[in-house]
Amino acid sequence: MDESYDVIVLGTGLTECILSGLLSVDGKKVLHIDKQDHYGGESASVALSQLYQKFKQNPIPKDQMEAKFGRDRDWSVDLIPKFLMADGGLTKILVHTDVTRYIDFKQVAGSYVYNKGKIYKVPSNEMEAISSPLMGIFEKRRMKRFMEWISEYQEDDVKTHQGLDLDKNTMDEVYYKFGLGTSTKDFIGHSMALWTNDDYLQEPARPTFERILLYVQSVARYGKSPYLYPLYGLGELPQGFARLSAIYGGTYMLNTPVEKVLYDDDGKFQGVVTKEGTAKAPLVIADPTYFPEKCKSTGQKVIRAICILNHPVPNTSNADSLQIIIPQSQVGRKNDIYVAVMSDSHNVASKGFYLAIVSTIIETDTPHVELEPAFKLLGPIEERFMGIAEIFEPKESGSTDNVFLSRSYDSSSHFESMTDDVKDIYFRVTGHPLVLKKRPQEEEEEE
Amino acid sequence: MNSALTSIKLVLLGEAAVGKSSIVLRFVSNDFAENKEPTIGAAFLTQRVNMGDHTIKFEIWDTAGQERFASLAPMYYRNAQAALVVYDVTKPQSFIKARHWVKELREQASKDIIIALVGNKLDMVETGAERKVALEEAENLASQEGLLFFETSAKTGSNVNEVFLAIGQKIPLKSAQQQQQGQGSSGLRINDDSRVDLRAAQDGPAPSSCNC
């Protein structure tokens, strides 16, 4: 197949698949390769038998496994747990590219926060806020004034700023103005703004303001929680964008390792050699595993534990899906612990089973012990798979060698930082910002 | 018009250049184009068929750029209720490939998927080209595997509509749309009919921000 393309993409993780889809829609001729035999890379969802093979040295035989946990094919376990913010960046890309046609989404039933040994539902509306045991009566009034400030704030109307400057005042100063106490700050900063540590307190308030607004607007979309989740697991997302790329002319080659990367005399990317021959293109987009020498560690390592339960998580009103945030200050840590729980209602587990994925950024030499506070909340655990992932980022922007690399998926509970990476790479590759245009709709007259 | 509407996801499978897209173009637009370029940019094509008091809406998925190197995503088969496995009656290799796709569908797709085996380019045999896949051979495969079977010509339109009508007749009425209601729901359990429509929400007026 000695052929030329406009872009070669290596790896079918979500970041790469979105870029492949967007560039194909732009009219670029895309060749998309994965060394593995399935879509998704690190953002794949796998069957239970694959999970055993990946994480256990002596996986139990499939018949025993199915006797205990039901049919293998009913399982679709995310390797990296995340949710979509209903009003977030990924949702917008999904809608504007029409990839929503391929994937069904459901809400996540609830968002919970850990406070003094117990978990509480994060209020999703005014009524829940008034009755929430998280705050005392006076604190609720102060919180109400704070939320009014958030929702009424207009950039060009100084009166609505109430004397605060989002770019000058720190978030701690904003909290101080509204008289909010430590546990409310924890609650706002970690379960609404979704910061994983407290560094944000001393930084300008704008990013936190925007995160709270995103949370509030996401909750307002469908109620219940700000989160959405695709049926059959997150692995549907890269597949959906790969299909978008394919229907706009993208060519897909799975199970195809890259044997050699070709550069010209100036060190610029020229193409790749695979078992199918040489494919040329002026630039390549890839995940860090294809160019380890061009990446560096961020110094952060994430530990993730995938737990199988045969019961709902205690104290969650039998929720079929939820998030629990354990703020760092509550358990004497620097980073929050996240728990994402899904079940058969989102078609990712066999009937009657629940998947709880616990994750945090490692702080000690005994990372599995760091997850204990979360395990305690889950009740009996039938099976546990633990893995540690190092977070990588590209050393350079790609402007000198035309090799454009994505970042590893981080420990955040949603896709906002991944979406930022997509936009950033898109800008570096094309030279213009990503503008989401609505695709023309075919006639769809439903009665 | 209040006749019941059933949507059917139908996937196309078969070697390159056997006429998959041409069959669909004939069915959807009653048209044929020599040297047809692969369809660009259609999520899937749709066509409605009236069956008595019932309307079936076919959502037809093309393999697009994922078939050349055998890189179809599991999503392609997911929840497909019908499949067209197409071969070219003048190309024996394409029939071998068709057997392979039938096997693949049995492994990957849902148990009760309706599969139609379609030998296309019959017009070429009628105008003097040599038939290379015997009628009996295809009939045998169809009866062994419980497939619908037709020989068609997308060029003349011969038998094309019949394929889709036969699939329509085999689809259990309403079953495609039936939503299993979540039983014994309590607390925060979400029922099966609670899928959110992202498009509707984003097209509508932006919700006013929270007033808590």
Side-chain angles (χ1 to χ4, degrees):
Chain A
M1 66 164 283
D2 296 321
E3 292 171 3
S4 289
Y5 294 85
D6 295 326
V7 185
I8 292 173
V9 184
L10 303 178
T12 53
L14 181 54
T15 308
E16 287 71 32
C17 286
I18 295 175
L19 285 161
S20 178
L22 292 170
L23 292 168
S24 288
V25 172
D26 284 351
K28 298 275 189 290
K29 189 180 173 195
V30 177
L31 174 65
H32 202 153
I33 298 173
D34 198 307
K35 56 194 169 191
Q36 294 180 288
D37 63 359
H38 59 270
Y39 282 88
E42 285 299 301
S43 34
S45 307
V46 301
L48 200 52
S49 57
Q50 292 169 284
L51 204 61
Y52 271 100
Q53 276 158 23
K54 217 174 153 64
F55 288 95
K56 302 277 181 188
Q57 285 186 330
N58 298 305
I60 59 172
K62 193 169 169 181
D63 53 336
Q64 272 182 39
M65 185 196 83
E66 292 203 319
K68 194 168 177 197
F69 295 121
R71 283 195 314 170
D72 192 28
R73 59 181 292 180
D74 291 342
W75 292 85
S76 189
V77 186
D78 302 331
L79 298 175
I80 297 179
K82 283 183 187 296
F83 295 126
L84 286 87
M85 301 292 291
D87 204 37
L90 180 55
T91 310
K92 291 196 171 76
I93 294 177
L94 279 162
V95 170
H96 286 272
T97 53
D98 243 3
V99 170
T100 46
R101 288 179 154 233
Y102 307 132
I103 308 172
D104 285 323
F105 291 88
K106 281 188 184 177
Q107 284 193 73
V108 171
S111 177
Y112 290 77
V113 61
Y114 177 96
N115 191 280
K116 299 190 179 74
K118 287 166 119 176
I119 58 172
Y120 299 89
K121 189 162 190 296
V122 178
S124 60
N125 58 43
E126 205 177 344
M127 289 303 289
E128 286 187 8
I130 289 168
S131 59
S132 172
L134 271 167
M135 290 170 279
I137 181 77
F138 295 110
E139 190 70 353
K140 273 179 187 146
R141 268 184 216 160
R142 292 188 283 267
M143 174 75 173
K144 184 166 183 282
R145 279 199 295 275
F146 173 76
M147 294 310 297
E148 279 165 358
W149 170 71
I150 296 267
S151 66
E152 285 162 12
Y153 184 97
Q154 302 277 338
E155 197 61 53
D156 47 13
D157 183 356
V158 183
K159 282 201 300 294
T160 65
H161 300 187
Q162 299 194 23
L164 289 164
D165 185 331
L166 291 179
D167 299 311
K168 292 220 174 74
N169 289 111
T170 65
M171 197 58 209
D172 214 22
E173 287 165 352
V174 173
Y175 287 143
Y176 182 78
K177 179 183 163 68
F178 289 95
L180 296 171
T182 311
S183 75
T184 310
K185 286 196 228 175
D186 253 10
F187 160 72
I188 294 170
H190 293 261
S191 59
M192 296 182 83
L194 301 168
W195 291 113
T196 56
N197 59 49
D198 270 347
D199 295 351
Y200 79 99
L201 284 171
Q202 303 312 323
E203 286 166 12
R206 185 177 295 280
T208 305
F209 172 86
E210 284 169 356
R211 281 165 166 244
I212 296 169
L213 203 57
L214 172 61
Y215 188 94
V216 168
Q217 287 175 343
S218 292
V219 171
R221 282 256 175 239
Y222 307 105
K224 283 186 177 144
S225 86
Y227 302 119
L228 301 175
Y229 187 86
L231 294 189
Y232 303 104
L234 297 177
E236 297 297 285
L237 295 166
Q239 289 183 49
F241 285 100
R243 178 152 177 86
L244 174 72
S245 179
I247 63 172
Y248 276 90
T251 302
Y252 275 79
M253 279 181 8
L254 297 188
N255 205 8
T256 309
V258 174
E259 288 161 10
K260 198 175 171 205
V261 180
L262 306 174
Y263 296 94
D264 69 10
D265 294 342
D266 300 329
K268 285 194 186 300
F269 177 83
Q270 250 187 338
V272 293
V273 180
T274 70
K275 64 185 180 191
E276 302 287 348
T278 301
K280 295 206 165 178
L283 63 98
V284 65
I285 296 170
D287 77 44
T289 65
Y290 288 83
F291 292 91
E293 75 283 4
K294 290 179 186 289
C295 293
K296 60 174 193 279
S297 172
T298 60
Q300 281 190 346
K301 286 184 184 173
V302 179
I303 180 167
R304 300 186 175 103
I306 300 168
C307 306
I308 298 179
L309 318 179
N310 59 11
H311 55 83
V313 175
N315 308 312
T316 60
S317 313
N318 295 331
D320 60 15
S321 53
L322 63 132
Q323 176 183 55
I324 305 170
I325 294 174
I326 305 178
Q328 28 91 306
S329 61
Q330 290 284 329
V331 284
R333 294 175 50 78
K334 293 191 197 70
N335 296 283
D336 293 359
I337 303 170
Y338 283 122
V339 186
V341 180
M342 308 306 304
S343 66
D344 61 85
S345 79
H346 290 76
N347 303 37
V348 296
S350 189
K351 194 128 194 87
F353 288 95
Y354 292 74
L355 274 167
I357 309 185
V358 183
S359 60
T360 193
I361 294 169
I362 294 175
E363 297 172 9
T364 70
D365 295 337
T366 51
H368 57 285
V369 177
E370 298 182 41
L371 301 181
E372 278 303 324
F375 294 148
K376 281 190 195 140
L377 300 173
L378 299 180
I381 296 170
E382 298 303 303
E383 186 63 280
R384 204 180 313 206
F385 307 88
M386 276 210 244
I388 291 175
E390 197 165 355
I391 310 282
F392 291 97
E393 61 186 6
K395 286 182 191 161
E396 290 175 32
S397 70
S399 60
T400 54
D401 54 7
N402 289 338
V403 176
F404 299 90
L405 301 176
S406 61
R407 306 167 65 92
S408 310
Y409 301 98
D410 63 18
S411 65
S412 66
S413 63
H414 49 66
F415 287 104
E416 297 310 304
S417 55
M418 190 269 331
T419 313
D420 289 344
D421 196 29
V422 166
K423 289 178 182 163
D424 186 43
I425 296 171
Y426 183 90
F427 179 76
R428 280 185 274 135
V429 164
T430 64
H432 57 84
L434 174 61
V435 180
L436 292 170
K437 297 180 289 270
K438 190 95 187 83
R439 279 180 60 196
Q441 289 283 315
E442 301 147 56
E443 194 189 352
E444 271 292 323
E445 14 48 300
E446 299 288 355
E447 17 268 76
Chain B
M1 288 297 283
N2 51 3
S3 74
L5 180 75
T6 307
S7 287
I8 303 287
K9 175 178 172 180
L10 180 146
V11 296
L12 293 171
L13 293 164
E15 199 172 67
V18 295
K20 295 187 293 295
S21 297
S22 297
I23 290 174
V24 175
L25 184 65
R26 172 60 72 187
F27 172 58
V28 171
S29 324
N30 195 19
D31 198 0
F32 181 82
E34 296 281 357
N35 305 318
K36 192 183 166 309
E37 288 290 316
T39 329
I40 292 291
F44 40 74
L45 293 167
T46 61
Q47 174 70 314
R48 287 161 187 250
V49 178
N50 291 318
M51 322 252 325
D53 62 347
H54 200 82
T55 301
I56 288 185
K57 181 178 150 197
F58 285 100
E59 296 180 350
I60 304 165
W61 289 47
D62 209 331
T63 51
Q66 293 180 312
E67 69 174 7
R68 187 171 150 207
F69 297 102
S71 299
L72 277 177
M75 168 183 278
Y76 189 69
Y77 305 102
R78 173 111 60 224
N79 298 327
Q81 290 138 298
L84 245 56
V85 176
V86 186
Y87 65 94
D88 176 342
V89 293
T90 69
K91 293 217 174 69
Q93 182 60 35
S94 73
F95 187 71
I96 294 171
K97 198 76 207 233
R99 281 185 189 278
H100 159 81
W101 283 119
V102 172
K103 187 164 167 278
E104 180 92 356
L105 281 167
R106 290 290 181 225
E107 284 165 11
Q108 300 268 3
S110 69
K111 224 170 53 254
D112 39 14
I113 187 169
I114 297 163
I115 305 174
L117 180 67
V118 177
N120 192 35
K121 305 202 183 178
L122 197 58
D123 55 281
M124 291 177 72
V125 175
E126 284 157 359
T127 55
E130 194 186 341
R131 170 193 279 274
K132 292 275 180 60
V133 181
L135 187 60
E136 301 77 50
E137 196 181 355
E139 281 173 345
N140 282 343
L141 175 63
S143 68
Q144 277 162 24
E145 293 284 341
L147 318 174
L148 295 166
F149 171 60
F150 291 89
E151 289 191 328
T152 62
S153 164
K155 189 170 183 177
T156 66
S158 163
N159 248 358
V160 171
N161 285 346
E162 283 75 2
V163 176
F164 292 89
L165 284 172
I167 290 170
Q169 276 155 7
K170 278 194 83 172
I171 294 283
L173 290 188
K174 273 299 187 186
S175 79
Q177 278 192 322
Q178 246 163 36
Q179 304 283 348
Q180 309 99 310
Q181 301 291 331
Q183 323 92 322
S185 327
S186 67
L188 291 168
R189 182 158 286 273
I190 285 180
N191 288 334
D192 234 21
D193 52 344
S194 63
R195 295 173 194 192
V196 296
D197 184 351
L198 299 186
R199 284 189 292 163
Q202 297 260 333
D203 289 345
S208 60
S209 40
C210 161
N211 48 1
C212 51

